[in-house]
C-alpha cells in the first residue's frame, strides 16, 4: 500500500487513512467487510467505520446488500478529469485490442515509482478472462506495464534483464509479477519528446498463447495511441 510521498508522517492523518481505504478497495477489486478493511490497513474498527461512512456520504464508497464496502459511483466523476486526452485517445485502441485478442486490455500511467491502471476494457464474448480494474497499482519496475513505462529511459547497468529484453524486442512481458499466475504484455505510448506518456497492456493466463503475435498487436495499438496524441 502507498505511504505518504515524503516517506514521513502525513500532514493529515485522517485524509491519508481515507485515501488508503480507497486504494485498498481499488486493489482488491471485491466488496470487503469493515473488519477486513481495518485489518489490511492496521486501523481500529471504529476508525475504519467512521472513515467509510464519510466516504459513503460523498459516494466514494458504497455498501452491497451484505454490508460490505466497494468503490462508489462518485469515483467515476473524479476519474473523468484525469488525463482525459490520453484516455480518450486510448479507448478505441483498447476496444480494438479486446476484439482482436479476446483479452482484457488496459491503460497504465506512471505516478512516482508506481504504475497505475487508469482505464480497462474486458471482453464480453470470451469464455474466461482476467479482471483488471482501474486503480490497480504496483512498483514501476515490476510487471509488463511498469517495464513498458521504463523502456524509453536511458539504459543503466542496474536494469533488470527483463527490461533489457523488452527494449530489444519492442514490448515487455511478465508472468506472475503483479497477480500470481497471470501473464501480461505491454508497450509504451510515446509522446512527441520520445518519453513514455503511458503503457498499453493486456493480461491473460493461457500459457500456450502466441506472445509474438500479442506483442506485435499491443505495440501497434500503442503506436496508434501515440500518433493520436501528437
Amino acid at each position: 500500500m502507498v505511504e505518504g510521498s515524503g516517506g514521513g508522517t502525513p500532514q493529515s492523518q485522517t485524509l491519508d487513512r481515507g485515501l488508503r481505504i480507497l486504494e485498498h478497495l481499488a486493489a482488491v477489486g471485491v466488496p470487503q467487510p469493515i473488519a477486513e478493511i481495518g485489518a489490511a490497513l492496521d486501523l481500529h474498527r471504529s476508525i475504519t467505520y467512521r472513515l467509510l461512512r464519510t466516504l459513503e456520504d460523498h459516494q466514494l464508497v458504497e455498501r452491497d446488500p451484505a454490508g460490505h464496502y466497494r468503490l462508489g459511483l462518485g469515483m467515476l466523476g473524479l476519474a473523468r478529469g484525469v488525463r482525459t486526452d490520453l484516455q480518450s485517445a486510448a479507448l478505441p485502441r483498447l476496444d480494438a485490442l479486446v476484439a482482436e485478442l479476446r483479452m482484457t486490455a488496459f491503460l497504465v500511467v506512471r505516478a512516482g515509482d508506481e504504475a497505475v491502471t487508469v482505464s480497462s476494457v474486458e471482453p464480453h464474448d470470451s469464455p474466461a478472462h482476467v479482471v483488471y480494474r482501474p486503480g490497480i497499482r504496483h512498483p514501476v519496475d515490476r510487471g509488463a506495464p511498469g517495464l513498458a513505462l521504463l523502456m524509453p529511459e536511458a539504459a543503466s547497468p542496474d536494469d533488470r534483464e527483463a527490461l533489457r529484453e523488452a527494449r530489444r524486442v519492442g514490448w515487455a512481458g511478465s508472468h506472475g509479477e503483479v497477480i500470481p499466475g497471470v501473464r501480461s504484455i505491454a508497450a509504451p505510448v510515446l509522446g512527441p519528446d520520445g518519453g513514455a506518456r503511458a503503457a498499453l497492456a493486456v493480461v491473460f493466463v493461457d500459457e500456450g498463447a502466441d506472445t509474438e503475435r500479442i506483442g506485435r498487436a499491443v505495440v501497434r495499438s500503442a503506436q496508434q495511441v501515440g500518433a493520436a496524441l501528437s
Side-chain angles (χ1 to χ4, degrees):
M1 193 56 59
V2 184
E3 300 294 337
S5 59
T9 302
Q11 294 186 12
S12 172
Q13 187 180 55
T14 300
L15 177 59
D16 178 72
R17 287 170 169 173
L19 292 173
R20 288 197 293 130
I21 285 177
L22 295 177
E23 291 171 349
H24 170 72
L25 292 175
V28 297
V30 295
Q32 291 217 305
I34 294 174
E36 289 188 18
I37 297 171
L41 301 177
D42 195 24
L43 297 175
H44 190 275
R45 181 185 177 89
S46 62
I47 294 174
T48 307
Y49 176 75
R50 289 198 299 270
L51 291 168
L52 285 167
R53 288 304 303 270
T54 300
L55 294 171
E56 188 177 16
D57 287 343
H58 292 274
Q59 298 184 315
L60 298 179
V61 301
E62 60 187 27
R63 279 178 287 177
D64 66 10
H68 297 176
Y69 284 87
R70 60 192 174 195
L71 293 181
L73 293 176
M75 295 295 295
L76 296 176
L78 296 178
R80 288 192 191 104
V82 179
R83 308 196 195 193
T84 53
D85 59 333
L86 178 60
Q87 294 192 66
S88 296
L91 185 57
R93 300 317 314 162
L94 292 174
D95 287 334
L97 268 179
V98 170
E100 178 182 355
L101 301 176
R102 302 181 73 189
M103 299 172 177
T104 297
F106 55 102
L107 178 72
V108 174
V109 298
R110 184 170 182 174
D113 292 329
E114 293 186 309
V116 183
T117 299
V118 293
S119 298
S120 67
V121 178
E122 298 175 20
H124 298 294
D125 58 351
S126 174
H129 65 270
V130 179
V131 175
Y132 205 89
R133 294 189 174 93
I136 292 177
R137 57 179 63 211
H138 57 82
V140 74
D141 63 345
R142 288 291 179 268
L147 294 176
L149 291 169
L150 297 176
M151 284 173 60
E153 296 186 358
S156 165
D158 297 328
D159 288 339
R160 295 177 56 198
E161 179 57 35
L163 179 54
R164 297 192 186 98
E165 177 67 10
R167 290 184 176 129
R168 187 184 69 80
V169 301
W171 48 268
S174 66
H175 182 202
E177 291 193 359
V178 177
I179 302 176
V182 171
R183 298 175 182 271
S184 181
I185 288 178
V189 174
L190 301 179
D193 61 354
R197 288 284 306 276
L200 224 61
V202 295
V203 288
F204 55 98
V205 294
D206 182 6
E207 295 188 6
D210 185 346
T211 55
E212 291 287 343
R213 181 178 74 87
I214 298 170
R216 289 193 299 268
V218 174
V219 168
R220 183 171 62 250
S221 295
Q223 290 172 341
Q224 291 169 338
V225 175
L229 293 171
S230 300

